[in-house]
Amino acid sequence: MNQLIFIGEYRHNMDAKGRVAIPASFRNDLGRQFYAMVGLDRCISLYTEEQFEKLYERLTAYPATKKNARQLMQQLMGSAGRCEPDGQGRVILPSNLIRYAGLKKDCAIVGVGNHVEIWDGKTWDDR
């Protein structure tokens, strides 16, 4: 089994339109289309289509009759959006995720094993 492992930290600025450049090494492994959603600790998490589908399968395994399971599904899937890099490797981040993560201009883009996280630069530095 050849599993992708995302590692490293990169810094890029988000422009006024909410676009941020995804580092080429991450972009190649994330694929032509990938998913952004709320992450833990107020960041944005990026998942490949395959990882997103696995996450969805795990979430749907929880009984819908459990309030916590429904709320988790609602928060994660409700926040999610598809991303497709443009010709310059930039993606438009959904405005709800920009607000959630408190992104300003400076962004830290971090490989975290099976996914990528986007942090506000100052928040990342303060951690």
Side-chain angles (χ1 to χ4, degrees), residues 21-99:
I22 303 300
S25 60
F26 290 166
R27 195 170 58 246
N28 292 337
D29 289 338
L30 283 167
R32 185 72 195 116
Q33 178 177 277
F34 52 90
Y35 292 85
M37 65 182 356
V38 295
L40 300 176
D41 303 317
R42 309 291 272 174
C43 69
I44 298 172
S45 293
L46 305 179
Y47 291 93
T48 65
E49 283 189 273
E50 180 181 356
Q51 285 300 104
F52 186 79
E53 288 169 6
K54 286 180 183 179
L55 176 62
Y56 176 75
E57 288 171 11
R58 286 194 304 260
L59 288 171
T60 56
Y62 295 115
T65 56
K66 300 285 187 190
K67 183 177 181 178
N68 289 347
R70 284 193 315 275
Q71 289 175 332
L72 182 60
M73 176 70 90
Q74 291 161 348
Q75 182 178 19
L76 294 179
M77 293 297 124
S79 74
R82 285 186 187 91
C83 295
E84 292 185 35
D86 65 14
Q88 296 176 0
R90 300 171 302 187
V91 295
I92 297 174
L93 297 172
S95 59
N96 64 314
L97 295 179
I98 292 171
R99 282 190 308 276

Side-chain angles (χ1 to χ4, degrees), residues 94-123:
S95 59
N96 64 314
L97 295 179
I98 292 171
R99 282 190 308 276
Y100 169 80
L103 298 184
K104 310 283 186 299
K105 183 174 182 174
D106 175 37
C107 296
I109 304 166
V110 184
V112 190
N114 72 341
H115 68 284
V116 173
E117 294 178 347
I118 301 176
W119 290 83
D120 172 70
K122 182 174 180 347
T123 303

